[in-house]
Amino acid sequence: MSAVEETSLRIANMSIRGAGRIARAGASAIGDFARTYEGRELDGFIRDLGKAVDTLLASRPTAVSLWNGVHAAIRGAEDCTSLEEAVSLVSGNADRFVEDSSKAVKRIASIGARRICDGDTLLTHCNSSAALGVIKEAHSQGKDIKVYATESRPWRQGILTVNELAEAGVDVTLVIDSAVRSVMKRIDKVFVGADTITSDGVLINKIGTSQLALAAHERRVPFYVCAETYKFSPMTLFGDMVVIEERDISEVVRPGEVPDSVKVFNPVFDSTPGRYIDALITELGMMSPGSVYGVMAEQLGPTVFSKE
Ligand code: RUB
């Protein structure tokens, strides 16, 4: 099995998970593909690079970070005039994406931590490195905080979250997903991550995120989304809908637990409209969901629509 196939498999089976991590893994796999390429022709390299991209992107459909990471790695390859130039460009692009992505998570931590006050009780969902970076930074600054973390069925990424926070010395309480509305009366601020943010400011994140947002909205609890700007989806600018991944029913019920006639629906992400989001915390600073279009249009350049 090639390294690209192996990375793709590890993303599909969730050994590598979380939007930032899968983006970095995808970009690194493309960088490794370029560095270890054994062919001698530029045309063959470009063709095989395209196949590697398709293999990686087939692994998980929802997080646009993977698409952005992989495309950042291959940017400009088709304009190269020699194999050596293409290999060096792609491997350099991949390394830069991984480095910039890690820096973005740190910058988000430092910006977001300013929103956390001494004595705050926070709620988080699933296992987001961007959101946990913010919380751990506030804790390391000496702020006295408490955190509630949801279990996040069916994969129970909340177990990773409580372990990570406990290891950092944070006072953390695990709750089941259906306790969210009930615990909201104890919460001062909610911090979650993002898999994708659309051009009109809709958040796509772990299933259940939208119910945290609704419950927070009901009690006027600020709801913050911690997201690197490579979680912004350029495809949505062109009208594409985000594909919500549905995973195998074996993640929800054990074999024989329910009759075969019972259908099981296992969507793993949901959508939260921008009106329930107080702010996005990005490496470019705090912004409103309504600012996403402008940031994306600027990143893509003024001729983006005329290129179609
Ligand atoms: C993970 C999830 C996380 C985002 C952001 O889902 O929804 O909130 O990916 O994570 P899954 P990060 O476990 O299904 O991949 O901030 O680490 O990019």
Side-chain angles (χ1 to χ4, degrees), residues 14 17-20 60 126 128-130 157 194-195 205-206 231:
M14 309 263 289
R17 49 144 300 282
R60 286 196 85 183
C126 191
S128 154
S129 42
Q157 290 93 333
D195 276 82
N205 192 48
K206 180 54 55 195
K231 312 272 178 75

Side-chain angles (χ1 to χ4, degrees), residues 100-117 122 128-143 145 164-165 191-193 224-229 231 280-286:
D100 290 351
S101 157
S102 306
K103 278 191 196 146
V105 176
K106 289 199 183 96
R107 180 102 186 100
I108 288 168
S110 103
I111 295 171
R114 297 196 183 161
R115 283 287 152 141
I116 298 179
C117 304
L122 314 172
S128 154
S129 42
L132 293 189
V134 168
I135 294 171
K136 288 196 286 187
E137 175 61 22
H139 172 75
S140 71
Q141 290 172 357
K143 290 175 184 167
I145 53 173
E164 192 173 330
L165 291 177
F191 289 86
V192 296
Y224 295 114
V225 177
C226 309
E228 308 88 304
T229 53
K231 312 272 178 75
L280 307 178
I281 306 173
T282 78
E283 76 280 12
L284 302 181
M286 309 271 305

Side-chain angles (χ1 to χ4, degrees), residues 196-249:
T196 291
I197 298 176
T198 68
S199 60
D200 54 347
V202 174
L203 164 68
I204 315 296
N205 192 48
K206 180 54 55 195
I207 189 83
T209 301
S210 63
Q211 67 198 11
L212 267 75
L214 278 177
H217 182 74
E218 181 186 35
R219 297 195 75 91
R220 305 284 182 266
V221 171
F223 183 90
Y224 295 114
V225 177
C226 309
E228 308 88 304
T229 53
Y230 59 83
K231 312 272 178 75
F232 292 1
S233 165
M235 286 82 105
T236 59
L237 204 56
F238 298 98
D240 280 3
M241 303 285 282
V242 178
V243 175
I244 301 285
E245 179 182 8
E246 286 172 36
R247 292 185 64 91
D248 199 84
I249 66 169

